[in-house]
Amino acid sequence: MKMVLHDITAIAGPDEHCPEFRAGLEELGWQVLGRVRLATHDEIVELMENYDPALAPALLEKELTGTTVLRERDGTSFAFVDWFFRCPFTRLMTLLDDGRLVETHETWTSDPVEPRRGWASRALFDRRREQTRSATRGRSIVLVDDPGPAELVRAHREHVARVVGDAGASPAPHISLAQAMDLFDHQLRHGVAVGRRAASLTGLLTMAPLVVLYIVLMQVIPWGTDGEFAVLPYLLTSIGGVALVVVLGRWLMLLLLPPVGYVRAIRPAFRGMAPVGTQ
């Protein structure tokens, strides 16, 4: 699925996510800018084919609803009112004029719904660490458990103040839906880069030892008797060994991908985009 945001403000569709949270933000002075969606209708329908048919209709309706976008009255933050599978999920974001991104998230209260292929292990999955796996140099993410609108806004302001500190940075102007979409798209693409880095390193960590072990075994196993080399057993064992390395390597990669992704030191830095007010 292509990662292309679409402005669906003018498109009639299912009811919005978490209207009470959106209304609470409006009572605090936030202004609704519109609704956005990460994919077209057809792309979302195709994506749902990967999920349990019993769950797909509900997931489809949720995905088609899109995300409600608001801006703070003083133009220092954007809010994205959304859902995460079975739970509400609102994010507040502030881009600083030095290019750093500050995010305060409503904590997930449920795990992702697994695609039909699933994951190799749930034991190594950590919900809170998964939600903050994109936090790195230039991008700060803080979670707030079960907040109301006022609590989330207050936590975000405190978060921004801590990040700014004595560095002299300040929030860039946050004005339009187009600017919010640019910021949302930028942080999504950074999240994809984080995932790819983790997948690459996990693949290296799992496949390299298996390949070395395969080569060593092929060298030490006797292939024949009385000095004669047995070609057919060698070929069959070679093919079987390659298949075993591939299957075992893929299983280990799926098993180890979550914990490797939780290592902050390996994540690519968030490359500051131009402040939203200058685009």
Side-chain angles (χ1 to χ4, degrees):
M1 185 180 73
K2 297 179 181 179
M3 289 184 56
V4 179
L5 278 175
H6 302 270
D7 180 358
I8 60 169
T9 306
I11 299 177
D15 293 337
E16 65 180 305
H17 297 304
C18 309
E20 66 288 345
F21 206 100
R22 182 264 309 152
L25 289 174
E26 287 187 293
E27 290 177 2
L28 296 172
W30 291 65
Q31 302 166 348
V32 175
L33 297 177
R35 287 188 304 129
V36 298
R37 192 167 65 202
L38 190 56
T40 65
H41 179 281
D42 291 343
E43 288 171 339
I44 293 174
V45 171
E46 182 179 354
L47 179 65
M48 290 303 106
E49 294 177 357
N50 297 320
Y51 290 85
D52 185 334
L55 299 174
L59 294 176
L60 175 62
E61 181 179 0
K62 291 290 188 182
E63 286 293 335
L64 290 175
T65 299
T67 303
T68 302
V69 183
L70 303 90
R71 65 179 288 271
E72 195 163 10
R73 179 169 45 193
D74 61 3
T76 58
S77 302
F78 288 127
F80 300 89
V81 181
D82 206 347
W83 78 295
F84 183 76
F85 292 100
R86 303 181 183 91
C87 64
F89 178 38
T90 296
R91 289 162 282 185
L92 305 186
M93 298 185 193
T94 294
L95 181 68
L96 303 179
D97 56 11
D98 62 5
R100 288 180 294 167
L101 180 60
V102 184
E103 302 178 45
T104 306
H105 294 189
E106 183 176 8
T107 306
W108 297 340
T109 56
S110 68
D111 291 342
V113 175
E114 296 184 31
R116 280 182 289 186
R117 288 181 298 176
W119 289 287
S121 172
R122 272 290 186 179
L124 301 179
F125 179 86
D126 185 294
R127 187 190 304 162
R128 295 184 71 91
R129 298 175 75 183
E130 186 72 23
Q131 190 173 354
T132 58
R133 67 181 305 194
S134 294
T136 184
R137 298 179 305 280
R139 184 176 181 185
S140 179
I141 301 175
V142 164
L143 307 182
V144 182
D145 297 337
D146 193 25
E151 290 78 10
L152 189 63
V153 170
R154 181 170 58 253
H156 183 64
R157 289 173 178 169
E158 294 172 352
H159 183 196
V160 171
R162 288 196 303 272
V163 171
V164 169
D166 298 325
S170 59
H174 295 62
I175 307 300
S176 69
L177 180 62
Q179 292 169 347
M181 291 174 67
D182 285 342
L183 179 57
F184 196 74
D185 178 75
H186 197 68
Q187 61 88 26
L188 280 174
R189 293 183 185 280
H190 174 254
V192 171
V194 169
R196 287 175 176 168
R197 173 74 62 84
S200 297
L201 290 177
T202 305
L204 180 63
L205 289 172
T206 55
M207 294 301 293
L210 289 174
V211 170
V212 171
L213 177 62
Y214 170 75
I215 293 174
V216 170
L217 290 176
M218 294 300 292
Q219 295 298 318
V220 301
I221 294 177
W223 300 107
T225 58
D226 299 327
E228 296 181 358
F229 184 73
V231 176
L232 183 59
Y234 181 84
L235 290 177
L236 292 176
T237 305
S238 298
I239 295 172
V242 170
L244 180 62
V245 166
V246 171
V247 172
L248 184 59
R250 178 165 177 78
W251 184 86
L252 286 173
M253 182 174 177
L254 292 173
L255 177 70
L256 296 175
L257 184 57
V260 171
Y262 300 153
V263 179
R264 186 184 179 105
I266 70 170
R267 302 170 192 166
F270 181 81
R271 302 299 180 185
M273 56 185 288
V276 291
T278 66
Q279 297 174 11

